[in-house]
Amino acid sequence: MAAPRALISVSDKTGVIDFARELHELGYEILSTGGTFKSISEAGIPVIEIATYTEFPEIMNGRVKTLHPRVHGAILGRPDLPADQEAMQQHGIVPFQIVACNLYPFQQTVAKPDVTLAEAIEQIDIGGPSMIRSSAKNHKYVAVVTKSEQYPQVIEKLKGGGLDETFRRQLATAAFKMTFEYDRGINAYLNQVDAAQESGDALLPEQLSLEFSKELPLRYGENPHQQAAFYVEANPAPSSVAAAKQLNGKELSYNNLLDLDAAMAIVQGFERPAVSIIKHNNPCGCGTAGDLAVAFERAYSGDPISAFGSIVGLNRPVDLATAEQMCGPDKFIEAVIAPSYNDDAFELLTTKPKWKANVRLMTCPALNDATGAELDYRRVSGGLLVQERDLGADPRELWKVVTDREPTEQEWLDLAFGWNVCRHVKSNAIVYVKGESIVGVGAGQMSRLDSAFIAAHKAGERSQGGIVASDAFFPFRDGIDQAAGAGIKAAIQPGGSRRDDEVIAACNEHGIAMVFTERRHFKH
């Protein structure tokens, strides 16, 4: 009886030598191509070059090597069909029982910042998808192996009695998923290229194809009666929640993930050590300082009552002093996300009573490497709204002082701080700041005046000598009058209202310095 045969032709050679060695020891005759043949041969494992079997050489620098009837006949032939067997015998075709194949790294290639179209085109695999699809189609007789993680499973099954049809079908399902995602990536890239050439808009192509994989089943959604899961894209940004890892604590919830995303987005906008305190997707506290523990103290003092059960984001590794602050007896924190944790800080956070088994500790090493080149998707009934994420610093050259009085040096620091935070607050957004710390927030109100009233109420006496940031223009002077009554001394807003002159006049009456940024930051 002839030995069973395996065809191995892989771009990613992770684990392939051990896999080939195990197959050889199990009695398999191995055929291979190009670089894979060279790697297996150099490892001392008997292997037949595919050109020896097809009696046709690889041509065009390896572009054509497996597109041959003897290869595809060996994959697609059905041993229980007489006509197939007759054709195989007539043409010297010997069947494969295993085909191990993965594809040229197209997605990784086009993810490089300066890749050319020609370079991308060369990474479009032709023979690989053909072999994978042929094998997956004929999975009743052929096992198609497309991932290195599958190698141990295949060997274990072979040693345990063979590859049953259910397992081969599972491999085939994974294979079709791979080729689908591969073709989708090519389609998306070429759509972007065409869009850029036709309209200069590579970010928003005419056809949008999205593919997300389930990363985490969730207990429920926003409410217990709603089913939910966390899905991630194929190559999430390293600075994203999807790339973060959980180190400790209870399982994550739907609302935790929303708030972790908000916490990260705020602190990513600061160069100095920064801490954000998130409650219901809005910051109830934020602070910056030269020292992380001081930044945390400033952030938590913004609204300690609202901070109960909050999510904390930090843009520096958590040190012991900051961990001690977070573990204070009067504080209850649901989750923390930071680039990393110092060993002594991590030990404290995972052994402190009430913390050790409960508080979710998340790490995202690339947290501070965020860019603005991401798309934001929001589902509406029957459609999808797509936009660029509102990230990245505003052009400071557009900022201008429009009042008689210039801001002081400290006011400038607070104005820049408040403007950074304001964009992350649900509109209508009003943020009161004093000493690089939030002291009051008015969020999500239908009237900007109501937001100003709430921010003043939250701040109390702490707003005296502070600043106010508004995500959009003040439509009337009443918001300025409200701020002046709270002791505010400087304001920052986009400008652009028909009543800008009245608003500026109100600032001058109250001795408030005001800056126009000429950029709005609504967050609905």
Side-chain angles (χ1 to χ4, degrees):
M1 183 176 177
R5 279 189 159 193
L7 172 59
I8 304 179
S9 179
V10 293
S11 176
D12 177 3
K13 296 176 178 57
T14 303
V16 76
I17 300 302
D18 290 339
F19 183 56
R21 184 176 287 110
E22 292 266 24
L23 288 175
H24 169 67
E25 291 173 358
L26 287 167
Y28 275 77
E29 190 172 56
I30 299 171
L31 285 79
S32 192
T33 63
T36 310
F37 168 81
K38 185 171 183 290
S39 297
I40 295 173
S41 179
E42 288 177 351
I45 302 167
V47 59
I48 300 168
E49 191 167 12
I50 198 72
T52 303
Y53 165 60
T54 61
E55 299 180 344
F56 197 94
E58 293 186 14
I59 61 174
M60 301 177 186
N61 198 26
R63 268 195 164 197
V64 179
K65 48 182 179 276
T66 59
L67 296 171
H68 193 282
R70 278 195 172 179
V71 173
H72 285 273
I75 296 172
L76 286 165
R78 292 158 291 186
D80 59 352
L81 200 67
D84 284 13
Q85 289 301 300
E86 182 181 344
M88 294 173 76
Q89 290 172 9
Q90 180 182 353
H91 298 289
I93 296 171
V94 183
F96 298 126
Q97 285 73 41
I98 294 175
V99 173
C101 184
N102 55 50
L103 307 175
Y104 294 168
F106 180 84
Q107 286 93 334
Q108 294 91 325
T109 299
V110 298
K112 297 175 182 176
D114 299 319
V115 67
T116 65
L117 178 59
E119 290 169 337
I121 294 295
E122 280 305 303
Q123 291 302 315
I124 297 177
D125 203 327
I126 302 300
S130 298
M131 285 195 298
I132 289 171
R133 289 177 61 85
S134 295
S135 305
K137 176 177 180 177
N138 204 29
H139 68 267
K140 183 176 180 180
Y141 309 104
V142 181
V144 57
V145 188
T146 52
K147 298 178 182 179
S148 59
E149 308 92 84
Q150 296 168 340
Y151 296 160
Q153 296 175 280
V154 171
I155 297 302
E156 183 181 352
K157 286 276 188 181
L158 288 172
K159 289 179 177 178
L163 307 176
D164 59 84
E165 188 170 347
T166 299
F167 181 64
R168 292 196 302 272
R169 187 170 60 251
Q170 290 170 352
L171 292 175
T173 301
F176 281 122
K177 182 175 185 291
M178 169 188 269
T179 58
F180 165 73
E181 290 175 347
Y182 195 75
D183 287 340
R184 181 185 58 82
I186 295 169
N187 175 259
Y189 172 74
L190 293 177
N191 265 331
Q192 284 185 332
V193 171
D194 290 342
Q197 290 176 344
E198 292 173 11
S199 65
D201 187 3
L203 199 61
L204 299 169
E206 287 299 313
Q207 298 293 324
L208 184 64
S209 178
L210 304 177
E211 177 74 13
F212 292 80
S213 300
K214 186 188 286 187
E215 176 73 11
L216 190 66
L218 302 173
R219 288 177 60 197
Y220 51 77
E222 287 178 296
N223 301 290
H225 64 277
Q226 295 171 267
Q227 294 186 59
F230 180 38
Y231 289 78
V232 301
E233 56 195 12
N235 295 295
S239 58
S240 67
V241 166
K245 302 298 180 187
Q246 184 170 1
L247 304 179
N248 185 72
K250 296 189 295 187
E251 60 184 322
L252 292 165
S253 74
Y254 182 98
N255 293 333
N256 287 159
L257 287 162
L258 284 174
D259 288 343
L260 285 164
D261 187 54
M264 284 179 66
I266 292 178
V267 297
Q268 283 168 339
F270 291 100
E271 294 183 6
R272 276 161 49 91
V275 178
S276 61
I277 313 290
I278 302 295
K279 196 70 177 292
H280 298 295
N281 224 227
N282 274 305
C284 60
C286 184
T288 61
D291 176 84
L292 191 66
V294 175
F296 176 83
E297 184 180 10
R298 289 178 175 177
Y300 205 88
S301 66
D303 188 350
I305 294 175
S306 295
F308 186 83
S310 57
I311 305 294
V312 177
L314 310 96
N315 68 352
R316 294 290 190 278
V318 178
D319 55 22
L320 182 59
T322 307
E324 288 173 339
Q325 289 260 21
M326 289 195 288
C327 288
D330 57 337
K331 298 179 178 68
F332 169 48
I333 293 170
E334 290 269 8
V336 179
I337 190 162
S340 62
Y341 301 81
N342 293 356
D343 290 343
D344 49 4
F346 187 76
E347 182 178 0
L348 177 65
L349 295 173
T350 54
T351 57
K352 190 83 170 176
K354 297 183 180 180
W355 271 72
K356 56 184 179 181
N358 298 315
V359 180
R360 304 155 180 89
L361 300 182
M362 307 291 294
T363 180
C364 182
L367 185 147
N368 290 316
D369 298 333
T371 66
E374 289 184 55
L375 291 178
D376 189 35
Y377 308 101
R378 294 186 70 175
R379 187 82 166 91
V380 295
S381 54
L384 192 71
L385 293 170
V386 182
Q387 65 173 353
E388 283 184 271
R389 292 195 71 183
D390 188 11
L391 300 173
D394 282 352
R396 291 291 291 268
E397 63 271 14
L398 297 180
W399 292 20
K400 59 183 178 181
V401 179
V402 294
T403 49
D404 296 338
R405 186 173 76 79
E406 293 266 346
T408 66
E409 185 176 347
Q410 180 60 52
E411 287 168 352
W412 271 117
L413 289 173
D414 286 347
L415 288 166
F417 173 91
W419 191 242
N420 253 343
V421 173
C422 192
R423 68 166 66 185
H424 300 285
V425 178
K426 297 296 177 68
S427 57
N428 287 311
I430 294 290
V431 176
Y432 283 8
V433 173
K434 178 74 179 294
E436 294 178 85
S437 173
I438 287 178
V439 294
V441 174
Q445 299 303 305
M446 288 67 75
S447 160
R448 192 161 300 276
L449 184 61
D450 287 344
S451 289
F453 173 80
I454 292 169
H457 170 72
K458 288 285 187 180
E461 291 299 314
R462 296 178 302 162
S463 60
Q464 295 294 321
I467 70 96
V468 60
S470 173
D471 62 345
F473 60 66
F474 286 101
F476 306 100
R477 65 170 288 161
D478 51 9
I480 293 298
D481 294 332
Q482 179 82 253
I488 292 298
K489 293 300 180 185
I492 187 167
Q493 59 137 320
S497 167
R498 288 183 300 172
R499 294 182 173 85
D500 273 350
D501 288 345
E502 294 178 20
V503 174
I504 294 169
C507 285
N508 287 330
E509 287 176 26
H510 296 297
I512 293 175
M514 186 160 65
V515 174
F516 280 3
T517 65
E518 297 190 16
R519 178 172 289 187
R520 191 183 73 184
H521 285 295
F522 270 159
K523 185 179 178 67
H524 277 9

